[in-house]
Amino acid sequence: MKMYFTLCTFLIASAVFSQQTKVVDFKTISAELSFQPKKALVEGVATISFEVLQPTDSVFIDAKKMEITQVYNENKKVDFEYNNQQIIYKTNFKVGKTYTLIINYKAHPTKALYFIDWNKDETHAEYHPQLWTQGQGKYTSNWLPSIDDMNDKIVFDLKIDFNKDFEVIANGKLSTKETNGSTTSWHYKMNQPMSSYLVALAIGKYGSFAESSKSGIPLQFYYYSEDSLKTESTYRYSKQLFDGLEKEIGVAYPWQNYKQVPVKDFLYSGMENTSCTIFSDAFVVDDIEFNDNNYVNVNAHELAHQWFGDLVTETSGTHHWLQEGFATYYALLAEKEIFGEDYYYDQLYKYSQELLEQDLVGQSTALLNPNSSSVTFYKKGAWALHMLREKVGDVAFRTAVKTYLNTYKFKNVETKNFIAEVERASNKNLDEFVKSWLEDQTLQFEAMEESLNKSNFYQEFQKTDCEVKNGKCKDWLRAPISDIAKTRIINQQPELVFEETFSNSLKTRQAIAFTLQKIPEHLKLEFETLLNDASYLTKEAALYKLWVNFPEDRFKYLDQTKAVIGDNTKNVRLLWLILALNTVDYNNEDKSAYFRELVAYTSPIYPFYVRQAAFMYLRDLNAITDEVLSHLKEATKHHNWRFKNFAQQLLESQTNKKE
């Protein structure tokens, strides 16, 4: 009976809380925070103010698995209920009155706040002690008493005490910074409201540099001290993206400043926390890796979210495309200004192919389906906006977007709010568009192809389709056509590659490295030049292909690439170790050291993307030693869910193999 009562109480509380925004308006949350990183502990005092809008006897504050030590109302200690998910405060509330609660708490967060490297080898080059947050969804309440409902927008104010040797970064403007002994107190203030999931905090040993947008917004870029030479290539085009989006959107950037912070083992590519994007340090690149895997698209996408998601926020998952579709589309527009129209249409084409693949396996969904895939929300959402702009014209589209943002700034929106603005600006009825692009799960592929055919890029791209062999394809490789078209020809007919083909662009040469399996003797010298290209992916592919095709020269190729580490996954070095171990009589006295190095890359001190690559190579070598197995078991507890799933599957396969 007691269990039943507790469950009923929780369900009733949840039902009431789901409607709380109609009853209570939370105004501000101020928090004073301190941390014990080696214990993964946060201690804080959260001061929460709210206005009562309708008669109620209960107010609910989300606080997941915390130790709530005390709660005060107007400096008086009060009784409260706590069900391990919510603090429930009951009193005789008066409509129209503003109340303030002060909550003292402790927490060991299992999600949303991550403590990285604090208990690892401090002497290791990969040691990056840091903590950072990822609150998207309903997760901020794991480390800060707050409101999980994105429909309640709140002004946040964070004061953080931490070791003076570390930088502390959070949303908003740094109002004060005071050092007292070994500790520095950082005070960040927002001046506009936002949803709780957008609260950000990052602490680490960072350097930074500043710029200013054309409109005068301060821009701050953070980096690890050892990566100072990578700042230009990492943040390349950042100011141009910012200025371009402000101009294209037509609404001034709505926050006090904009900061970008790389972190280790992030859960995603990036997260658009209000005024403070946190992103994966996998995108911290040098000039060579920029050509393979740069931050530009993620940079533009998270920046676009500052308007679409942060300034105006969906009311529910049904309208998620208003955030992800818009951010994807506006990121493409920003990149179009940098990389050109061919790039823009090539990306739209690739999106269409992803959507078609999804459709062919029966997984197409409507944009207004809250359970849709990321491909639908992001790629179909971008396509819907592209098609809508074509339908109503540039002027009406831009007018509608501007009005939409200004009308609903700092508020929550539904799709009908945006569509109404487009109809008003264009004087067109969009019922048919809404049905076919937003409500219907059927993919409008013919309409997408028709739109693509309006571009010179796609006309050329279609003309040079060599899937069905014809005599023109070899001539097209000599013709002044786009790199994208030449790459497609090489992918379809690698046998057409000849000496002159190597004189093309970096991307075309990369296609040769990826595609050509059997290297003819007459192309050997040209293929060897790929080892010198400004692309770690090209170097990796070329090294492997040359090693396979010309065994008599394996020593030469290994000596030539011995010092190359490669991209952030250490792609060239990992391949080099595998090839060196498998090359007869090559540095036999060092092979045990090579194997130890390969095993070491599975250690928890390395970023998960390095570890995953090393695990895969060792699996293929059938060399999962006890040390590797120990690292693999540790990986099954990793906070990055993709890596965790990979480790669990690999561990299971190893267990089954032993059985």
Side-chain angles (χ1 to χ4, degrees):
M1 289 295 292
K2 185 176 181 181
M3 182 180 294
Y4 174 78
F5 176 77
T6 302
L7 178 61
C8 283
T9 302
F10 177 74
L11 291 175
I12 291 170
S14 298
V16 172
F17 180 73
S18 66
Q19 302 175 39
Q20 188 173 221
T21 55
K22 299 176 182 178
V23 177
V24 179
D25 180 16
F26 286 87
K27 299 291 189 179
T28 64
I29 296 180
S30 300
E32 297 182 13
L33 305 169
S34 62
F35 302 88
Q36 295 183 44
K38 293 191 175 184
K39 295 182 179 180
L41 172 68
V42 55
E43 298 179 272
V45 179
T47 302
I48 303 176
S49 70
F50 56 90
E51 180 185 357
V52 176
L53 305 177
Q54 294 183 21
T56 185
D57 65 354
S58 302
V59 168
F60 303 83
I61 296 169
D62 291 296
K64 305 288 195 303
K65 299 179 181 178
M66 294 182 178
E67 178 186 344
I68 309 299
T69 55
Q70 292 176 329
V71 177
Y72 295 88
N73 177 22
E74 298 178 352
N75 297 319
K76 295 180 181 179
K77 189 175 179 180
V78 297
D79 293 331
F80 62 94
E81 297 176 23
Y82 182 57
N83 58 22
N84 219 33
Q85 298 293 312
Q86 295 169 320
I87 300 167
I88 306 166
Y89 175 53
K90 296 183 177 182
T91 192
N92 185 23
F93 292 107
K94 294 181 180 179
V95 174
K97 183 177 178 179
T98 297
Y99 293 81
T100 300
L101 291 182
I102 300 173
I103 301 166
N104 291 14
Y105 72 98
K106 297 179 181 179
H108 291 276
T110 57
K111 61 175 65 174
L113 177 64
Y114 300 94
F115 297 85
I116 308 298
D117 278 5
W118 292 96
N119 295 305
K120 296 177 183 174
D121 181 4
E122 297 183 16
T123 64
H124 200 285
E126 298 285 345
Y127 177 66
H128 288 292
Q130 57 189 235
L131 63 87
W132 46 262
T133 60
Q134 169 55 20
Q136 186 163 27
K138 297 181 178 180
Y139 299 133
T140 294
S141 58
N142 283 268
W143 64 275
L144 175 67
S146 50
I147 308 304
D148 286 341
D149 191 338
M150 68 179 71
N151 289 279
D152 205 332
K153 295 201 169 186
I154 302 165
V155 177
F156 284 86
D157 182 334
L158 299 183
K159 184 177 181 181
I160 303 102
D161 292 334
F162 207 81
N163 185 310
K164 68 178 182 179
D165 295 330
F166 289 76
E167 290 290 312
V168 174
I169 307 110
N171 312 86
K173 183 178 180 179
L174 179 63
S175 63
T176 61
K177 176 184 174 183
E178 298 177 354
T179 299
N180 184 10
S182 62
T183 302
T184 297
S185 180
W186 306 69
H187 191 183
Y188 282 93
K189 297 176 69 69
M190 289 291 297
N191 62 6
Q192 298 289 358
M194 63 182 180
S195 301
S196 294
Y197 78 90
L198 294 166
V199 177
L201 180 62
I203 299 176
K205 292 192 175 183
Y206 291 103
S208 70
F209 68 96
E211 291 186 354
S212 182
S213 73
K214 189 175 182 180
S215 59
I217 298 295
L219 310 176
Q220 197 78 17
F221 307 94
Y222 291 86
Y223 57 90
Y224 304 149
S225 57
E226 68 268 27
D227 290 332
S228 60
L229 297 180
K230 296 181 179 181
T231 55
E232 189 283 326
S233 44
T234 297
Y235 291 113
R236 189 172 296 170
Y237 304 124
S238 288
K239 183 178 182 301
Q240 186 175 342
L241 291 171
F242 193 101
D243 293 339
L245 279 176
E246 268 203 317
K247 181 179 179 181
E248 171 62 36
I249 293 169
V251 174
Y253 176 79
W255 315 105
Q256 297 129 298
N257 52 31
Y258 187 54
K259 302 174 282 287
Q260 298 184 73
V261 191
V263 299
K264 185 175 180 178
D265 284 352
F266 197 50
L267 278 70
Y268 306 100
S269 295
M271 177 61 199
E272 69 276 9
N273 310 295
T274 308
S275 79
C276 183
T277 285
I278 292 176
F279 67 97
S280 168
D281 62 9
F283 290 106
V284 177
V285 299
D286 60 21
D287 278 330
I288 295 177
E289 190 173 359
F290 181 89
N291 297 320
D292 297 326
N293 178 44
N294 59 61
Y295 178 53
V296 177
N297 181 261
V298 175
N299 190 344
H301 183 99
E302 308 308 337
L303 177 58
H305 269 309
Q306 299 297 319
W307 288 267
F308 306 104
D310 296 6
L311 179 61
V312 293
T313 309
E314 65 192 44
T315 57
S316 68
T318 299
H319 309 284
H320 194 49
W321 83 283
L322 291 176
Q323 298 185 182
E324 298 303 347
F326 272 76
T328 303
Y329 175 66
Y330 275 91
L332 270 188
L333 291 179
E335 289 184 292
K336 180 181 176 183
E337 293 301 307
I338 295 170
F339 301 125
E341 192 168 281
D342 282 2
Y343 175 88
Y344 173 81
Y345 280 102
D346 179 44
Q347 291 302 109
L348 281 179
Y349 167 73
K350 289 175 180 175
Y351 293 173
S352 73
Q353 296 305 297
E354 286 185 65
L355 289 163
L356 180 60
E357 288 176 15
Q358 180 177 255
D359 186 64
L360 291 174
V361 295
Q363 295 179 355
S364 280
T365 50
L367 265 175
L368 296 184
N369 180 344
N371 298 316
S372 287
S373 68
S374 294
V375 173
T376 296
F377 284 133
Y378 288 64
K379 312 298 175 59
K380 190 176 182 179
W383 257 106
L385 291 169
H386 171 81
M387 297 300 291
L388 182 59
R389 189 168 189 157
E390 281 194 351
K391 183 177 181 64
V392 303
D394 281 352
V395 173
F397 183 85
R398 296 184 70 181
T399 299
V401 169
K402 185 175 180 179
T403 305
Y404 163 72
L405 290 172
N406 283 326
T407 300
Y408 298 102
K409 60 185 177 182
F410 311 117
K411 298 177 182 178
N412 294 81
V413 289
E414 296 182 355
T415 298
K416 65 183 180 182
N417 302 130
F418 172 64
I419 295 299
E421 297 300 340
V422 183
E423 288 185 327
R424 190 175 294 113
S426 64
N427 198 29
K428 290 184 178 182
N429 183 291
L430 295 175
D431 288 351
E432 184 180 339
F433 176 86
V434 169
K435 185 178 187 314
S436 60
W437 279 96
L438 307 183
E439 297 177 346
D440 197 335
Q441 71 179 32
T442 303
L443 181 65
Q444 306 298 313
F445 189 72
E446 290 184 3
M448 295 160 78
E449 277 211 309
E450 184 178 336
S451 176
L452 286 171
N453 268 317
K454 296 175 184 177
S455 69
N456 291 331
F457 155 78
Y458 194 67
Q459 292 174 21
E460 177 188 85
F461 190 70
Q462 289 294 83
K463 181 180 68 175
T464 55
D465 186 354
C466 292
E467 193 69 53
V468 178
K469 297 183 180 181
N470 65 71
K472 294 183 178 180
C473 292
K474 190 168 185 178
D475 294 333
W476 282 332
L477 280 179
R478 294 188 175 94
I481 59 175
S482 71
D483 292 339
I484 298 168
K486 286 186 178 181
T487 296
R488 187 189 197 191
I489 295 169
I490 293 168
N491 288 335
Q492 291 175 341
Q493 293 196 36
E495 69 275 9
L496 295 181
V497 171
F498 56 103
E499 289 90 337
E500 189 180 330
T501 314
F502 286 83
S503 64
N504 280 286
S505 70
L506 186 72
K507 287 298 181 184
T508 305
R509 287 168 60 85
Q510 189 175 85
I512 297 172
F514 288 171
T515 308
L516 215 59
Q517 301 301 323
K518 178 65 178 176
I519 305 172
E521 187 68 35
H522 69 278
L523 294 181
K524 179 183 178 183
L525 291 177
E526 284 78 8
F527 204 94
E528 287 176 342
T529 67
L530 297 174
L531 290 174
N532 300 316
D533 274 19
S535 162
Y536 294 126
L537 294 178
T538 301
K539 290 176 186 288
E540 178 188 12
L543 173 59
Y544 178 72
K545 300 289 181 60
L546 289 166
W547 186 90
V548 169
N549 278 269
F550 305 108
E552 69 278 8
D553 288 328
R554 286 176 176 176
F555 283 24
K556 180 179 76 172
Y557 300 137
L558 289 171
D559 286 344
Q560 184 177 344
T561 55
K562 187 174 185 177
V564 181
I565 301 299
D567 61 22
N568 280 315
T569 67
K570 303 186 187 297
N571 67 319
V572 179
R573 182 60 181 175
L574 288 172
L575 173 64
W576 189 94
L577 290 170
I578 292 295
L579 298 182
L581 288 168
N582 283 279
T583 300
V584 177
D585 292 332
Y586 181 75
N587 293 357
N588 287 335
E589 68 281 5
D590 294 326
K591 284 190 174 177
S592 60
Y594 296 157
F595 185 74
R596 288 196 302 272
E597 181 182 349
L598 183 59
V599 168
Y601 286 133
T602 67
S603 163
I605 194 64
Y606 286 95
F608 75 86
Y609 42 81
V610 173
R611 300 177 66 191
Q612 183 163 322
F615 279 131
M616 292 172 69
Y617 273 126
L618 287 162
R619 175 200 63 193
D620 295 343
L621 276 179
N622 196 26
I624 304 292
T625 64
D626 288 344
E627 183 179 358
V628 175
L629 195 62
S630 173
H631 292 163
L632 186 59
K633 289 178 180 177
E634 186 278 338
T636 65
K637 302 175 183 178
H638 200 276
H639 64 268
N640 186 292
W641 59 273
R642 292 184 180 88
F643 180 54
K644 177 180 178 179
N645 290 346
F646 162 83
Q648 288 174 335
Q649 291 172 13
L650 180 55
L651 182 61
E652 183 178 341
S653 70
Q654 293 301 308
T655 303
N656 292 338
K657 187 181 295 185
K658 288 183 179 180
E659 293 175 352

